[in-house]
Amino acid sequence: MRDLVYSISLLACFAAPVLAVSPQPDNAGSEVIARFLENHCLGCHDDSFSEGDRSFEGFGLPISNHTGLITADEIIDQVTLRQMPPPSDFSEDELPSDAERLELLAALRKAIDQARATFDSTGGRTVLRRLSHREYENTLEALIGNRVDTLGLTADFPKENTAEHLDNVGDALITSGFLLDQYFQAADRLIETRLNPPVSEPQEWHFTDNFVQYEELNGPHRSVLKFKYLCLYEQPNTDTRQGGYGHIQDFLEGVPSSGFYDIKVHVQAMHRDTHYDPEIFRIDFSEPFRIAVVPGDARKGHIHYPQAIEPILAESIVPDDAPEWIPFRVWLDQGQTPRFIFPNGPYESRASIITLNERYEEEFEKPVKGVSRSSLLREGKLPHIRIGEVKIEGPLREEKYSLEELAIFGVDGFQETRALQQLQSFARLAFRRPLHEDDVRRIERVYLHRIDEGATPRQAALDTVKMVLCSPSFLYMGEFTDESSLLLNSHDLASRLSYALWASPPDAELTALADGGIIDNPDVMSRQIERMLDDSRSDRFVVGFLDSWLNLRDLGSQPPSRKDNKDYYGKALPDAMRSEAQLFFRDLLDNDRSLSHLLDSDYTFVNVDLANLYGLPEGKTLRQADGFKRVVFPDRRRRGGVMGMASVLTVSANGVDTSPITRGVWVLENLLGMSPPPPPDEVPSIDANVSGANTIREKLELHRQDETCNVCHRKIDPMGFSLENFDPIGRWRDGYKRSKGAKVDPTGQLPSGERYRDFGEFKKVISETRSDLFRRHLAETLLAYTTGRLVESTDRYAVEDILKRTEASGDGLKTLVREILLSKRFRER
């Protein structure tokens, strides 16, 4: 293992070299900075005096190191805050004018941008990078032929770093010692759990009582139901979880070995026809109740609360009239126990119980106040799901070999006489390239070493598989193209294409084309791109790219208050928000629709909950069972394009309030590719200086009275004013709840003079005047995502050529993706 760590560390260190470009001097900027320092700073901050241990005598352009960047940032901070030169020490005539300050700030910010671009440059090369966490799990799933999300292999991995929101850029993907240890543990757990489980004959379990529930429910369940039923009262996504998760008390130890299990539940939807006011429960009783199975692990935390690993394994509709047996076939890993949830159940049943006990107390012989369920269970019509029996059988016998056995060792399973050949075949798939002689020798050495230590041939082979899964050739997107070649070789190109569109390794067809050396033929590549986009695995491209481009990965990181936004939780709106963006992007991709739809469109995709959030008429006709449907907006002034999507509007707010600054920066950065300079580190929050203002617009007007602040805010704020009609989760509003009913003012004027009166006109202005910026940034982001490196100034002409070819072919999204993947930039090392 020590040699393995050393090898990985060496590979990480000897990544593709950075071809540094020396910063070019800016003569005009140099003169501005030198004149300002001479007139206003060096009297106190030269080498001989250095007040505050700060000397600016040697500072100038170009900025050639990180010390210079720090100095430039400090000067910007002090000049913006007007703390330097200190007003108390100089007369008004001696202080710099606003024009001088602005000229200095512009020169410094330009110099900082140039320096950072130089320092971060890869010289147009893709830095050797490891697999991202999502690519790692997808790759393991492809290699072992079975899902791995039930294991949660990356749950304890360090949080992934990103570069410009992209999670697959080599510069940002750090490989630490802790992460290496996690790789070793993940490989060991995967192989031992899936290919070396304890011998376990199929068993049968039948549970008919002792259905202990969440602590608060135990009293009424003991006294009224005698623990005879397992009851689900609410969806799991609540604060209280009063019956959100139903477990089997006598099966806390979980299944004895990993495998498929048949689960049957005798279940009934109770009182869906209740006469109680449906508003108390916040659900649509015309929809049938649904039950789902998720894994739980009593060793990992409270069985009634969310756990790190709980994908929905199966789901079904629950019958109303009488209990019926509902079957599920699910995969459970060793030690996991099935838990039952009510996905479309009431929200916060505790509050519902309190209200019912108060409003309907005259219906009960012995009414009880508070959260007691006793009277409601005994005499009332409390809506819930009731399970009377649970049968479990498994692990189910597989025909001969497990999915993992077949994937790793082939159709004959492990064969001692062919062990090395089988291991080499697996390594060939894992490394995504033909094996070198060193690879073959290393595999043989590890296998024979374990044999010499007394391991059985099968265990020795499994330990060798673990070594393969911890090898740099597996963990890294290695480029084994000859250093003298500018273009990727066929196997590296096949891997780059596969991870770009599928976030997983090449399949058999791509591998065969790479083996034949014809994958780089434009016609072959074009056909493969079409095939891969038609494959369901390309959904990973849609999800991964939108998570990066639109910041959807951060959706939910700043959740709104539960009190004011119950539907956000009760209706699982974050999932619906993501699905809308993904389905819309998928539609553009599949049908090669114009890129302009991303800025403004007359349609989108919604389910019933999102339709209600948007106030669309479909909210009254859609049912949960309908899923997502394409809908046309009756009023494009309120929705249309990604800026009108709840996912974008939520991720560009802080969960409590909205800000034209935050949303304006989001529009500039994510749609137009223009990153405004960050505020000086020491600038106080806006609220600190605008106590007399009521609305955010009034606060910003006061803040912008300082010209050094206004120089940036006049570019940022107009990009966000039109979005103020949307609250923190994207609902339309005409006024502010937190500002004494003040009306929203969605008007604005861009720095270039264009005016708009509302969101609809803002979209029109952006579409007509900023379309080129938008298309260029989208192309650059797609190129960065698919190659694993950020786009640099040297890529500008390549991007323009891609856009020209795209526009000539109709300006469709699929065309843009295809042109990027066929471009020389994509095929370069």
Side-chain angles (χ1 to χ4, degrees), residues 682-735:
E682 299 179 24
V683 168
S685 64
I686 289 178
D687 288 333
N689 294 317
V690 290
S691 56
N694 288 321
T695 68
I696 185 64
R697 182 182 284 267
E698 291 173 351
K699 295 175 182 179
L700 286 171
E701 288 297 332
L702 292 174
H703 182 71
R704 290 168 61 179
Q705 289 178 6
D706 188 326
E707 187 59 30
T708 55
C709 296
N710 183 50
V711 70
C712 290
H713 279 277
R714 66 187 180 88
K715 301 174 184 176
I716 297 171
D717 301 348
M719 294 294 175
F721 281 140
S722 75
L723 303 181
E724 277 299 285
N725 272 125
F726 301 103
D727 76 0
I729 63 170
R731 283 176 299 211
W732 185 268
R733 65 184 177 189
D734 293 311

Side-chain angles (χ1 to χ4, degrees), residues 34-47:
R35 183 169 60 250
F36 191 97
L37 294 178
E38 177 66 32
N39 293 338
H40 304 290
C41 303
L42 293 182
C44 299
H45 296 283
D46 62 4
D47 288 344

Side-chain angles (χ1 to χ4, degrees), residues 181-468:
D181 184 60
Q182 292 297 310
Y183 282 138
F184 302 146
Q185 293 184 39
D188 183 73
R189 185 174 173 219
L190 173 67
I191 299 305
E192 293 299 321
T193 301
R194 296 295 182 84
L195 283 114
N196 202 23
V199 177
S200 179
E201 291 297 318
Q203 302 178 56
E204 294 182 5
W205 297 267
H206 188 188
F207 305 100
T208 60
D209 56 17
N210 197 33
F211 289 123
V212 176
Q213 308 239 174
Y214 182 85
E215 290 88 338
E216 189 171 292
L217 308 183
N218 274 344
H221 273 258
R222 181 186 294 109
S223 63
V224 180
L225 301 178
K226 313 302 182 187
F227 288 150
K228 184 174 177 59
Y229 297 104
L230 182 60
C231 298
L232 305 175
Y233 295 103
E234 66 184 23
Q235 59 179 277
N237 187 28
T238 69
D239 278 336
T240 59
R241 280 106 190 177
Q242 301 292 305
Y245 291 88
H247 75 287
I248 305 169
Q249 183 67 21
D250 294 335
F251 202 51
L252 287 178
E253 71 279 5
V255 298
S257 62
S258 300
F260 285 105
Y261 288 80
D262 277 338
I263 299 176
K264 296 179 181 179
V265 292
H266 201 233
V267 61
Q268 181 182 2
M270 301 297 294
H271 307 305
R272 191 162 67 91
D273 60 350
T274 184
H275 65 283
Y276 300 143
D277 184 354
E279 288 299 317
I280 296 174
F281 304 96
R282 304 182 66 83
I283 61 173
D284 184 353
F285 282 104
S286 69
E287 300 278 3
F289 290 172
R290 302 189 68 83
I291 187 173
V293 184
V294 299
D297 193 330
R299 302 165 299 181
K300 302 295 185 182
H302 201 305
I303 200 70
H304 294 288
Y305 282 78
Q307 297 186 346
I309 308 165
E310 54 175 42
I312 290 181
L313 304 175
E315 189 172 354
S316 180
I317 292 174
V318 184
D320 293 309
D321 298 333
E324 293 181 15
W325 286 102
I326 295 181
F328 301 104
R329 177 164 291 183
V330 302
W331 179 277
L332 292 170
D333 279 303
Q334 182 183 358
Q336 290 181 336
T337 184
R339 296 189 295 170
F340 306 99
I341 64 171
F342 191 173
N344 64 333
Y347 181 73
E348 288 188 349
S349 66
R350 175 186 285 175
S352 302
I353 297 302
I354 294 173
T355 303
L356 291 173
N357 283 331
E358 290 179 353
R359 189 182 301 184
Y360 299 94
E361 63 176 332
E362 72 278 359
E363 296 186 10
F364 308 119
E365 291 183 10
K366 296 180 180 180
V368 179
K369 297 289 186 179
V371 296
S372 173
R373 284 175 170 78
S374 298
S375 298
L376 286 164
L377 288 174
R378 185 182 297 110
E379 309 166 53
K381 296 192 69 175
L382 178 64
H384 64 281
I385 292 176
R386 180 176 290 185
I387 299 171
E389 299 179 61
V390 181
K391 294 180 180 180
I392 302 175
E393 181 181 355
L396 303 180
R397 290 188 183 277
E398 300 182 70
E399 291 186 3
K400 187 174 182 181
Y401 299 115
S402 68
L403 296 174
E404 292 86 351
E405 184 88 8
L406 294 171
I408 291 178
F409 295 118
V411 294
D412 298 323
F414 174 70
Q415 300 291 318
E416 180 180 351
T417 57
R418 296 171 43 231
L420 289 175
Q421 178 185 344
Q422 290 177 319
L423 290 169
Q424 289 168 17
S425 296
F426 174 72
R428 166 69 177 80
L429 295 175
F431 294 170
R432 307 174 287 277
R433 59 169 174 78
L435 300 185
H436 303 312
E437 291 184 5
D438 287 344
D439 300 319
V440 174
R441 285 195 295 268
R442 189 175 299 110
I443 290 169
E444 182 177 359
R445 186 167 62 249
V446 171
Y447 176 74
L448 295 178
H449 179 69
R450 291 294 291 125
I451 294 289
D452 291 342
E453 290 182 332
T456 65
R458 178 178 172 79
Q459 185 61 56
L462 294 180
D463 290 342
T464 307
V465 170
K466 296 175 193 175
M467 181 275 292
V468 169

